[in-house]
Amino acid sequence: MATNDKTKTLFTLGEVDRSGQWHDYLQYGFIEDDVSVLLELTADGELNAANAQSKEVWVPLHAWRTLGQIRSTKAIGPLIALFDVLVKDDWALSDLPKVMGMIGESAIDPLVVYLNDNHHDEFARVMAADSLAAIATQQASCRDRVVQCYRDYMLSPDESAGNLNGLIICFLMDLDAKEAIDDIRQLFEKGCVELSCAGDLEEVEIEMGFRAERTTPKPNFFQLSGLDDPSDSQSHDTDNTIDLIDHYLMHYGNDDSVLDVSELDGFFAALACSPNMIKPSQWLSAIWGGEALMPEWESKKALNDFSTAIFAFYNHVMESLNTHKYEALFLEREGDEKNYLIVDEWCDGFLRGLNLWGPMAASDTAFTEECIQSIRLFATEAGFEKLDTMNEKEIEAQQQKIEPDLNRLFRHFYEQREQPAQPMVFDTPKVGRNDPCPCGSGKKYKKCCLH
């Protein structure tokens, strides 16, 4: 493999931060003449399979990011050829579409050819579809052309590629492609859309502004994920489910993930109260603190066991609230004379779920804040300061308010969902993906409520 002083630099850079800015590789003098050697590095089998703790394993990533910054059209074909090779590489799944977006319009035609070729791995084709979206996002002048490429695909879709079809709908939603709604509806009619990607048609129509409320019940997430619903089984043991979830949260958890089943119970309670369905593709990553922190499962069985348990618990919370049988899974601490209720973890989980709701009408925001005052007491610094001024009876009184207020909040939005659909009215201005989130978090909208 040919190297020079510039490419040798890539061997010294090592691991990158997923949430950080890309390194400025052009400062080392990389130019179009270096494209061939950089392509060799991206496709080098030994480097891609190097020890996970080594600096060498990061060289292909640095190489393809460099190619993106050079914006070389010469790299288009070889990089697209890597989609099938690196389809199981999480970094490649995320990075290569961004690289193609940086290269731009010249990549559209070969990407469309790849997208329409069902001989490729489905998620490799997702990379091609994602690359088209990246081009449209980075180069606004290409937006209409990319949307038309998606629409052309949907006229004769691969009906066996449900994930690809669902994610193409997600990309169209991101591009606010209202002109594609009829094509999207026809795709749903074919029954070839994985609903966990973007939700069902009603959810998509709500997101795109074509309807205000659902007119049918939210989809059952066991059906969406192809799992058996444990509630259908007489032998289902809730205690075993809780123990299993706690085991996996402890084994795979991190400083930013849900701590235990009590916190998860609060998290799911918030999702149940949400004005609109929050898709599994959004809340599954939030359990672990974001996509970058999702675990690497030791086996397919572990993943399947956790998935079955987590959806069972989700449906248990939803059903309990719907049937007025919900009891919050608070913790208890044994004292000398009595047991003390611990609600902090549950409240933390509720606010974690609330962060996924997105913007609301001013009246709904005010009502929500009224209902969650007691929850904020046990999950925020300002709340802890107030608790320090309260005696034991006052604290217990605040704890006892949580469940009644939760049920009020659930009923409020449940009744709204039951009303006939009304024309969509936006009480808040349209927020760009790169604008500050209107929830006040200080984060970018796409990294907060839009996520």
Side-chain angles (χ1 to χ4, degrees), residues 310-330:
I310 207 78
F311 282 105
F313 193 56
Y314 173 92
N315 273 12
H316 166 73
V317 173
M318 295 289 170
E319 181 66 18
S320 297
L321 279 164
N322 269 303
T323 56
H324 310 283
K325 297 177 182 178
Y326 178 76
E327 294 182 6
L329 196 60
F330 298 143

Side-chain angles (χ1 to χ4, degrees), residues 339-350:
N339 291 343
Y340 294 90
L341 207 60
I342 307 297
V343 303
D344 301 35
E345 283 87 350
W346 188 97
C347 294
D348 282 337
F350 187 92

Side-chain angles (χ1 to χ4, degrees), residues 11-296:
F11 285 79
T12 69
L13 299 178
E15 185 173 359
V16 302
D17 180 1
R18 186 182 285 271
S19 62
Q21 295 291 324
W22 284 20
H23 199 75
D24 177 13
Y25 300 98
L26 300 187
Q27 65 178 303
Y28 304 118
F30 283 107
I31 58 175
E32 182 73 20
D33 291 345
D34 300 304
V35 168
S36 294
V37 67
L38 289 167
L39 287 170
E40 288 184 38
L41 294 176
T42 63
D44 189 287
E46 291 186 6
L47 290 175
N48 280 297
N51 187 291
Q53 306 304 318
S54 69
K55 290 185 176 181
E56 285 78 9
V57 75
W58 294 96
V59 172
L61 178 147
H62 292 301
W64 70 52
R65 288 187 172 188
T66 304
L67 288 166
Q69 292 181 359
I70 294 174
R71 303 178 188 274
S72 172
T73 57
K74 180 181 175 181
I76 294 172
L79 287 177
I80 292 177
L82 285 177
F83 288 178
D84 273 305
V85 178
L86 299 178
V87 69
K88 294 184 179 180
D89 185 316
D90 288 343
W91 285 97
L93 282 168
S94 172
D95 267 20
L96 289 180
K98 295 176 184 176
V99 169
M100 303 307 291
M102 297 167 76
I103 294 173
E105 186 172 8
S106 299
I108 291 178
D109 286 341
L111 285 168
V112 170
V113 171
Y114 192 97
L115 170 65
N116 286 284
D117 186 348
N118 61 11
H119 292 95
H120 297 298
D121 181 277
E122 181 179 1
F123 279 91
R125 295 165 72 195
V126 168
M127 293 169 74
D130 195 1
S131 297
L132 290 168
I135 294 171
T137 301
Q138 295 190 41
Q139 298 186 17
S141 61
C142 297
R143 183 263 186 200
D144 291 349
R145 182 179 172 190
V146 166
V147 169
Q148 187 59 51
C149 291
Y150 290 145
R151 296 181 69 183
D152 290 342
Y153 166 83
M154 289 190 292
L155 289 174
S156 183
D158 180 349
E159 296 188 22
S160 68
N163 288 293
L164 172 63
N165 298 334
L167 289 168
I168 284 177
I169 291 172
C170 289
F171 299 141
L172 286 165
M173 291 164 67
D174 287 342
L175 294 171
D176 194 28
K178 290 181 171 61
E179 66 267 38
I181 188 60
D182 287 338
D183 304 285
I184 292 172
R185 287 167 177 158
Q186 290 177 18
L187 193 62
F188 274 106
E189 286 178 7
K190 293 178 184 291
C192 60
V193 178
E194 170 54 54
L195 300 186
S196 64
C197 295
D200 64 1
L201 177 58
E202 287 192 22
E203 203 64 30
V204 171
E205 289 177 337
I206 290 170
E207 288 287 330
M208 298 183 76
F210 289 99
R211 68 165 62 222
E213 302 286 346
R214 297 191 63 87
T215 56
T216 63
K218 294 181 181 180
N220 179 292
F221 285 117
F222 282 96
Q223 296 171 0
L224 297 191
S225 302
L227 300 170
D228 294 330
D229 189 341
S231 63
D232 294 337
S233 173
Q234 296 294 327
S235 62
H236 176 60
D237 189 328
T238 301
D239 289 339
N240 286 344
T241 297
I242 289 174
D243 290 341
L244 185 67
I245 292 172
D246 262 336
H247 164 75
Y248 283 120
L249 290 176
M250 180 173 293
H251 185 72
Y252 289 101
N254 58 76
D255 290 342
D256 297 313
S257 63
V258 168
L259 180 66
D260 53 30
V261 174
S262 180
E263 184 176 349
L264 185 66
D265 186 62
F267 177 72
F268 283 156
L271 301 189
C273 293
S274 174
N276 296 302
M277 184 184 78
I278 298 173
K279 300 180 287 294
S281 57
Q282 293 174 277
W283 60 254
L284 279 170
S285 61
I287 290 174
W288 304 105
E291 290 184 11
L293 297 174
M294 292 182 72
E296 295 183 7

